[in-house]
Amino acid sequence: MSDALAGYAVSESNSVGRRYKEEAPPGRGEFQRDRDRIVHSTAFRRLEYKTQVFVNHEGDLFRTRLTHSIEVAQIARSIARALRVNEDLAEAIAYAHDLGHTPFGHAGQDALNTCMKDYGGFEHNLQSLHIVEHLEEHYAEFDGLNLMYETREGILKHCSPRSAKLLGELGRRFLEHRQPSLEAQLNNHADEIAYNNHDIDDGLRAGLITLEQIESVELVAMHLRAVREKYPALTGRRLIHETVRRLINAQALDLIRTSEAAIRTAGVATLEEVRAAPRLIGFSAEMHAALQPLRTFLREQLYWHFRVLREMSKARRTIEDLFSAFMSDPRLLPPQYLARCAEDKPRAIADYIAGMTDRYAMKEHRRLFAIGENSV
Ligand code: MG
């Protein structure tokens, strides 16, 4: 296999480039620079203390948004390399894809979206973009990270038509139903492969689901049978890990083979043709069907487990409390957010809350609501 990028990959020569002109980085490529800027950003470091599914303080072995993003990057790079598309870009998108998540996972995002319903709403994808375009304060000459167009395009996985209209160039593909680059497309699947499989692992570890239960999902049972056949004495963590790694591998390989065939059949030769073609990255019909019961299982048995829901309901109330306290008295905000209230109070508050880690949000909640709590 040649190392050269395929003609349909994103490259420096077919890229739209950066919003603010910069000298080319000596010794590394433009997309390597994007990845490096994301890794050095403040929002990236905060991912360590943000919930994926399990609330961050529940245990040290569960995935956080940071470890999730690293796993997504690993899967995205493998797929990108196999398809001869831009591995640096795929990695950069993966590291940035969850930057805009609120504390407390989806419960936090849903709560903030509800709080913001009269003020333009809150979408975590848009927030990721907002962070890399505006909120990061790292460079002398511009706000944000001044990333390449294709990196920003990949971060914006989906958005509402209303938001798309406000975004100009970046939003246009949602209105014209055009596709993003293959590097962006494959990231959506790398994300799903990562969370479906690590949620099995975390769910088992937390004791919220059991191996017996998950054997009702044929895709999992099939790999579990293969592991047991080969290693009849294997039990516990090793049995789970051997099974989960096979599951990840099977899904990644299926995605690569199916996408390679789709690219060949579509006959795309350039990035422009990728954008105009139907979506080229995807699972086979068989894998797609096999994944459906797994998605349903995880939703019903894990995400809706009463212990998870109990944490989520506290999380929702925490976000609502923070939002309403700041809305009724913005002087409770740190000065840099208070300063932005003159322009757009709800958005300044949403940006402050969205940037919080789980533990910072809990601490801020105590400072605002618990009398006697040291507030300085
Ligand atoms: Mg994700």
Side-chain angles (χ1 to χ4, degrees):
M1 190 173 76
S2 154
D3 276 347
L5 286 186
Y8 44 74
V10 172
S11 66
E12 289 184 18
S13 56
N14 63 21
S15 167
V16 177
R18 301 182 193 280
R19 186 172 289 163
Y20 305 101
K21 272 258 163 302
E22 294 188 66
E23 294 280 322
R28 54 184 176 153
E30 295 285 4
F31 291 99
Q32 283 179 282
R33 174 191 252 175
D34 274 13
R35 176 202 56 209
D36 300 347
R37 285 186 172 182
I38 293 160
V39 168
H40 287 272
S41 70
T42 307
F44 187 72
R45 282 193 299 285
R46 288 177 175 160
L47 294 175
E48 184 175 4
Y49 297 105
K50 290 195 177 201
T51 294
Q52 183 66 24
V53 172
F54 296 89
V55 176
N56 204 289
H57 57 269
E58 287 231 323
D60 290 344
L61 294 174
F62 299 114
R63 267 72 174 187
T64 65
R65 290 245 171 243
L66 180 64
T67 60
H68 163 70
S69 300
I70 293 169
E71 290 182 26
V72 175
Q74 179 274 314
I75 295 167
R77 276 193 290 115
S78 303
I79 299 167
R81 192 180 296 194
L83 297 177
R84 292 194 302 122
V85 297
N86 193 323
E87 201 176 320
D88 294 324
L89 171 59
E91 188 180 14
I93 294 169
Y95 284 149
H97 87 284
D98 272 351
L99 290 180
H101 264 289
T102 61
F104 311 126
H106 281 279
Q109 120 104 25
D110 293 346
L112 196 53
N113 189 29
T114 306
C115 294
M116 288 291 288
K117 69 177 187 308
D118 296 331
Y119 315 107
F122 179 89
E123 298 173 45
H124 67 86
N125 259 284
L126 269 182
Q127 189 68 8
S128 300
L129 191 66
H130 186 42
I131 287 168
V132 302
E133 291 194 334
H134 304 288
L135 296 183
E136 282 288 323
E137 297 175 316
H138 272 254
Y139 300 93
E141 298 189 2
F142 44 78
D143 285 341
L145 305 179
N146 196 30
L147 301 177
M148 299 287 273
Y149 174 87
E150 296 74 15
T151 310
R152 295 185 290 121
E153 171 195 64
I155 292 171
L156 194 64
K157 277 200 241 182
H158 37 75
C159 75
S160 60
R162 187 189 54 186
S163 303
K165 279 181 205 138
L166 298 172
L167 283 170
E169 177 75 23
L170 265 185
R172 196 170 308 147
R173 77 173 164 89
F174 296 97
L175 304 170
E176 294 175 355
H177 304 291
R178 284 163 57 83
Q179 303 303 327
S181 69
L182 295 176
E183 291 83 347
Q185 292 184 38
L186 69 86
N187 253 283
N188 294 352
H189 294 277
D191 190 18
E192 196 195 344
I193 293 173
Y195 67 67
N196 275 338
N197 294 290
H198 65 47
D199 288 351
I200 295 175
D201 186 27
D202 279 355
L204 289 167
R205 187 188 300 278
L208 298 174
I209 53 175
T210 63
L211 263 186
E212 291 67 41
Q213 274 179 311
I214 204 164
E215 278 189 80
S216 65
V217 177
E218 179 49 30
L219 181 66
V220 181
M222 187 174 90
H223 291 284
L224 199 53
R225 274 198 302 273
V227 174
R228 280 179 172 145
E229 223 159 85
K230 190 162 181 199
Y231 309 102
L234 207 61
T235 55
R237 300 301 320 164
R238 277 184 210 254
L239 176 61
I240 294 166
H241 289 150
E242 273 292 335
T243 307
V244 169
R245 79 180 182 90
R246 280 155 203 254
L247 275 164
I248 294 177
N249 201 39
Q251 288 163 53
L253 280 179
D254 179 89
L255 191 84
I256 290 165
R257 291 193 184 124
T258 311
S259 305
E260 268 172 349
I263 291 166
R264 221 177 306 121
T265 309
V268 293
T270 65
L271 178 57
E272 203 35 48
E273 287 168 10
V274 166
R275 295 188 189 286
R279 235 173 156 76
L280 295 170
I281 304 286
F283 292 116
S284 64
E286 297 74 36
M287 183 59 84
H288 186 78
L291 283 167
Q292 207 47 55
L294 176 60
R295 293 187 191 106
T296 308
F297 176 88
L298 288 172
R299 189 174 60 240
E300 291 176 357
Q301 304 301 322
L302 185 60
Y303 310 145
W304 292 350
H305 192 287
F306 81 97
R307 278 175 52 201
V308 174
L309 290 178
R310 197 168 58 192
E311 288 306 301
M312 296 297 108
S313 99
K314 282 186 274 186
R316 203 161 38 240
R317 276 197 299 279
T318 304
I319 298 288
E320 287 162 3
D321 285 349
L322 291 174
F323 189 83
S324 61
F326 293 129
M327 279 298 274
S328 53
D329 189 355
R331 293 170 307 167
L332 301 173
L333 288 164
Q336 68 270 34
Y337 291 97
L338 177 60
R340 286 185 45 209
C341 282
E343 192 192 327
D344 189 342
K345 183 171 80 168
R347 189 59 56 188
I349 293 170
D351 285 346
Y352 180 43
I353 294 174
M356 293 178 183
T357 60
D358 292 13
R359 60 183 189 174
Y360 185 91
M362 291 187 281
K363 187 174 174 191
E364 186 76 336
H365 191 269
R366 286 195 301 274
R367 285 193 295 224
L368 287 168
F369 290 92
I371 290 183
E373 186 74 16
N374 185 358
S375 64
V376 281

